[in-house]
Amino acid sequence: MTELLPILNNLAWPVAIAIAWIAGEFGQRYTNLPRISFYGLVGFALGAPQLGVLPVPDAGAIPMLADVAFGLILFELGYRINLRWLRNNPWIGVSGLVESIATFIAVYFIAVAFGTPQLTSLMLASLSMATSPATVVRVINEQRSSGQVTERVLHLSAQNCVLAVFAFNAVIGFWIFRTFEDLGDALWNSLVLLAVSALTGAVFGLVVPALLRAIGNPRHDATVAFAIAVILLVAISYAGGLSPVVASLAFGLVARHRRVAFSQAQRNFGALGELLTILLFVFAASTLDWEKVAAGIWLAIAVVIARLLTKTAGVTAFAHLSGVSWRKGFLAGVALAPLSVFVILLLEHARLAGVVVVEELRSVAAVTMLLEIFGPIIIQRALIWARETPDARPEIRSENHHAA
């Protein structure tokens, strides 16, 4: 029996990924809901605190692969950011800044009202600013959506991620300084770390396109080259204590503006991206503990509602100034609801770095579990209501035909 245990442990992750894939395919077929909602449910159910099929995640291959999967998604998100559009229409950036700050303030005061310690409240508020790029990119690609709402959600989620990482690292730096009175370490974990991460990603964004041009066939080789580069970048970030979030976003952003083709057929990085996405969502949900979820459920519900209201109000308020209708501004704000994977990975990085205060964030576990399931559904419905998915567009033609 004891000889069988190592074999079962080695099979745990492959079996979990297979179950999640099957659940996602059948779940999407019979309910038309996003596959990633089912990936999250399977990961949560099979996690160590629940059924115990999956071992407790620790520093090793699985967290590293999850970071690679997240890096691929962040690269794709960064690659789709159009800085020229943001320069020509600065109100989009303004709306993102306003809704992020409003979310931070609202969540902080809600957490304090629930009796959460100040430092934990600041961490929760900074994490709540984010929108999960993994959920956003995956659902948009799965729905094959395009249009004003889609593009705004992509750009705002990227901005939210950067702001959230900056605020979260600033709070971590404050915690380190207050706990150890080490100003150098505090500055490194707040400002310098992010700057070095962005610089590292930018260097990759310059070098890889130059290498592709030297090869002489960038359209054919771009996907594999970018995937290998993201894996290397995440490994460097992991080893050097940098932020793979900021590095991968910077890589995609700079690579886009080096004008190397990355065709639509290669979204999600093909089969590799699909496989790693399943692993990412299963891993993220498997880190959650149902007891912590239950303990923080009421604060979680308050945070979810606050995020939805502040983000929707912030984007809607600037809708006309940024060139869209109130309705599309409202739907873009609603689509910023997903939070889960981004928060879980940041907390895992903080925990592995020895920031024990993250264990106090029980409410975050509940927030992530709620949005692991409902976040993808919310963004899916927002894109359909915005009539930016292929299934919704025939409705427009039908309505126009009847009107005529």
Side-chain angles (χ1 to χ4, degrees):
M1 185 67 181
T2 54
E3 295 177 358
L4 191 60
L5 287 177
I7 298 175
L8 294 177
N9 285 336
N10 291 334
L11 287 174
W13 279 101
V15 168
I17 291 170
I19 293 172
W21 177 76
I22 293 169
E25 293 303 312
F26 280 101
Q28 197 275 336
R29 176 183 296 181
Y30 292 114
T31 67
N32 202 33
L33 296 177
R35 292 176 176 86
I36 55 177
S37 291
F38 298 97
Y39 300 160
L41 280 174
V42 170
F44 180 72
L46 298 181
Q50 284 70 248
L51 295 178
V53 174
L54 295 173
V56 177
D58 208 342
I62 296 300
M64 176 70 174
L65 286 173
D67 274 323
V68 168
F70 200 50
L72 292 174
I73 291 168
L74 286 165
F75 169 84
E76 184 176 351
L77 177 62
Y79 202 93
R80 296 176 70 170
I81 300 303
N82 188 341
L83 290 179
R84 184 177 299 173
W85 185 42
L86 293 177
R87 283 196 299 267
N88 294 335
N89 192 349
W91 290 110
I92 296 173
V94 171
S95 66
L97 184 62
V98 169
E99 55 90 353
S100 294
I101 293 173
T103 299
F104 182 92
I105 294 170
V107 172
Y108 173 76
F109 282 109
I110 287 172
V112 170
F114 272 81
T116 308
Q118 184 186 38
L119 187 60
T120 308
S121 298
L122 287 170
M123 293 182 69
L124 179 58
S126 62
L127 292 171
S128 298
M129 296 166 69
T131 296
S132 177
T135 305
V136 167
V137 171
R138 176 70 193 204
V139 173
I140 284 175
N141 285 345
E142 190 174 288
Q143 296 297 312
R144 291 174 292 141
S145 67
S146 61
Q148 283 284 341
V149 172
T150 300
E151 291 304 316
R152 283 161 197 267
V153 171
L154 285 169
H155 284 72
L156 289 171
S157 64
Q159 182 178 347
N160 285 350
C161 284
V162 173
L163 291 172
V165 170
F166 177 82
F168 183 72
N169 279 275
V171 175
I172 293 295
F174 174 68
W175 176 82
I176 290 172
F177 179 71
R178 200 175 75 171
T179 305
F180 304 106
E181 296 185 353
D182 188 339
L183 182 60
D185 199 16
L187 286 174
W188 168 256
N189 280 277
S190 54
L191 302 176
V192 180
L193 181 146
L194 298 183
V196 174
S197 301
L199 180 61
T200 306
V203 169
F204 269 71
L206 293 171
V207 171
V208 176
L211 178 62
L212 288 171
R213 287 193 181 90
I215 292 171
N217 193 359
R219 184 178 295 274
H220 177 72
D221 297 325
T223 304
V224 174
F226 282 138
I228 292 171
V230 168
I231 293 170
L232 181 59
L233 178 61
V234 169
I236 291 172
S237 300
Y238 212 81
L242 304 177
S243 170
V245 174
V246 174
S248 300
L249 270 175
F251 177 24
L253 189 63
V254 174
R256 173 197 171 98
H257 291 83
R258 300 303 295 170
R259 302 186 182 281
V260 174
F262 189 64
S263 66
Q264 291 188 0
Q266 297 161 320
R267 285 185 179 178
N268 286 331
F269 285 88
L272 171 67
E274 294 286 340
L275 174 62
L276 288 177
T277 296
I278 298 172
L279 182 144
L280 171 63
F281 280 88
V282 172
F283 166 77
S286 72
T287 64
L288 302 176
D289 185 334
W290 73 269
E291 291 183 349
K292 293 181 180 179
V293 170
I297 192 68
W298 295 113
L299 176 55
I301 291 172
V303 169
V304 168
I305 293 172
R307 285 185 75 254
L308 193 59
L309 291 176
T310 53
K311 289 187 175 294
T312 302
V315 178
T316 306
F318 293 92
H320 272 189
L321 287 171
S322 63
V324 292
S325 64
W326 298 116
R327 181 176 179 275
K328 290 209 167 185
F330 173 81
L331 290 172
V334 169
L336 296 176
L339 178 70
S340 53
V341 171
F342 181 87
V343 166
I344 292 169
L345 290 184
L346 277 188
L347 286 176
E348 279 298 298
H349 278 290
R351 183 181 68 82
L352 293 174
V355 184
V356 293
V357 73
V358 298
E359 296 300 327
E360 300 173 20
L361 290 169
R362 291 187 174 187
S363 55
V364 173
V367 171
T368 51
M369 192 61 239
L370 285 174
L371 293 180
E372 186 78 32
I373 302 166
F374 297 111
I377 298 172
I378 291 170
I379 184 174
Q380 181 200 50
R381 301 318 301 176
L383 295 172
I384 291 173
W385 292 333
R387 296 172 180 172
E388 295 188 359
T389 63
D391 292 339
R393 286 174 197 134
E395 296 175 11
I396 302 173
R397 291 195 292 270
S398 176
E399 289 174 8
N400 292 339
H401 174 75
H402 288 305

